[in-house]
Amino acid sequence: MDLNVQLEKKSPPNNSQADLHIHTTYSDGVLSPREILEKSVDAGLSAIAITDHDHIGALSEACELSTHYGVEVITGVEFSVSVNGRENHILGYYIDPDNARLTKALTFFREQRLKRAEKMISKLHTLQIPLSMDSVLHYAKHGAVGRPHIAQALVDGGYVETYYEAFTRYIGADCPAYESKYTLSPQEAIELIADAGGLSFLAHPGKSARNGDILELIKLGLDGIETIHPKHSESQILYYRSLIVNHYLLECGGSDYHGVTPIEESHFGSFTVPYDLISEMKQRLFQKR
Ligand SMILES: [Zn+2]
Ligand SMILES: [Zn+2]
């Protein structure tokens, strides 16, 4: 995939909006890349970034369909990292999906996700819940298996009433079937993204990052921070914007859409950022070359 083609896309008219944080069936989202593009047209978006967890499988299809739907697609990914013992997420934008180091690392992460799911299923077995790996993989169509897939299989098998109950009774942190996730160091994630020609952003800091963690990540070479996110308050957004200005960073934002809960439907098309932020990303990438 030629990154120059992505970078040379002409800017759409003023007031165009973009959603830079979307998941598909390639990780824990429920819609295919085509369905996401259809939804983006309906929501009037000019550009989107697909940012699946540890997976870039949706990118080639989404990029191919981009012209047909008239929605610019930015190649993205979302990594989990451990910062001072807390899980945080880092988004990579404008990554080259053919980058050898990146593809090798992603294969490794998916193997680790499978191992984690196997461990959680065996813990469920000891709790007299005979969930099968196949029933979980049925939901993880493209291999980036995660807890949402186990939750879905638990609901489907009639072991819990709701997805929420699956997390609060069995697979949430501190619950009896929980198993911790393999995580990268933030340095490794930032380097992987940079090696693949991309820009790294701290995702939804309001969900998990302490303010001190953010400053540490900035020192490690973070390119930007996600400000607009359904979990962020107005005061958090203002604080992240002040960091962005003070540290010469970029800004991104989006709905973090998975399509799993009804509330997320109202988020799609509502948590957007102006296209200008994409123009700034492109400018930064040209400067780095
Ligand atoms: Zn995340
Ligand atoms: Zn996400």
Side-chain angles (χ1 to χ4, degrees):
M1 200 174 293
D2 190 349
L3 275 179
N4 285 320
V5 176
Q6 282 195 71
L7 292 179
E8 281 159 13
K9 284 251 160 49
K10 287 208 172 57
S11 296
N14 283 342
N15 303 323
S16 295
Q17 294 293 307
D19 184 338
L20 302 178
H21 194 158
I22 298 175
H23 296 273
T24 73
T25 44
Y26 282 84
S27 62
D28 50 357
V30 296
L31 298 187
S32 68
R34 182 185 289 275
E35 288 168 324
I36 289 292
L37 277 156
E38 283 167 358
K39 213 173 161 56
S40 304
V41 172
D42 292 344
L45 299 175
S46 303
I48 59 168
I50 299 220
T51 54
D52 278 311
H53 299 282
D54 299 344
H55 213 303
I56 52 171
L59 302 182
S60 58
E61 187 185 341
C63 289
E64 273 170 38
L65 294 170
S66 164
T67 314
H68 174 76
Y69 285 99
V71 175
E72 187 173 332
V73 173
I74 294 164
T75 54
V77 69
E78 184 171 18
F79 289 129
S80 303
V81 297
S82 177
V83 186
N84 301 322
R86 285 177 287 279
E87 182 178 318
N88 276 277
H89 292 173
I90 290 186
L91 293 160
Y93 294 120
Y94 290 105
I95 46 153
D96 173 7
D98 299 324
N99 179 273
R101 191 172 156 198
L102 179 69
T103 50
K104 196 175 157 201
L106 290 171
T107 305
F108 174 74
F109 301 152
R110 284 201 293 281
E111 287 165 3
Q112 296 305 310
R113 281 175 167 273
L114 268 177
K115 282 185 186 157
R116 179 195 191 205
E118 281 164 0
K119 284 182 188 166
M120 290 174 81
I121 286 169
S122 85
K123 284 183 177 177
L124 285 167
H125 289 177
T126 63
L127 298 165
Q128 314 304 324
I129 295 179
L131 200 72
S132 72
M133 189 66 179
D134 280 351
S135 68
V136 173
L137 292 179
H138 167 75
Y139 294 105
K141 295 182 182 69
H142 300 286
V145 60
R147 283 187 296 165
H149 305 122
I150 299 179
Q152 205 58 54
L154 284 168
V155 174
D156 204 38
Y159 302 109
V160 289
E161 292 277 320
T162 61
Y163 189 85
Y164 177 74
E165 190 191 347
F167 274 87
T168 50
R169 270 184 78 181
Y170 297 113
I171 58 172
D174 302 325
C175 288
Y178 178 75
E179 179 68 32
S180 62
K181 181 151 74 174
Y182 171 85
T183 49
L184 284 168
S185 73
Q187 184 79 67
E188 286 170 317
I190 291 168
E191 276 174 20
L192 262 182
I193 292 165
D195 197 63
L199 297 167
S200 52
F201 285 65
L202 177 60
H204 46 67
K207 259 177 95 175
S208 44
R210 303 272 166 87
N211 292 346
D213 297 343
I214 306 175
L215 296 173
E216 244 176 74
L217 290 167
I218 292 171
K219 279 196 198 120
L220 290 176
L222 204 65
D223 296 294
I225 299 176
E226 184 175 52
T227 56
I228 301 298
H229 186 279
K231 290 267 172 9
H232 286 175
S233 66
E234 278 301 318
S235 61
Q236 284 175 322
I237 294 171
L238 287 176
Y239 174 64
Y240 303 140
R241 286 202 175 128
S242 72
L243 289 177
I244 286 168
V245 171
N246 291 339
H247 296 273
Y248 185 56
L249 298 173
L250 296 162
E251 179 178 354
C252 75
S255 63
D256 203 355
Y257 180 81
H258 295 77
V260 177
T261 60
I263 185 91
E264 281 187 286
E265 292 306 327
S266 64
H267 292 166
F268 198 92
S270 306
F271 289 85
T272 59
V273 291
Y275 187 89
D276 295 354
L277 297 187
I278 296 177
S279 304
E280 286 172 20
M281 285 188 197
K282 289 178 180 177
Q283 228 171 0
R284 187 70 61 97
L285 281 168
F286 278 122
Q287 283 167 3
K288 282 195 173 198
R289 286 179 167 196

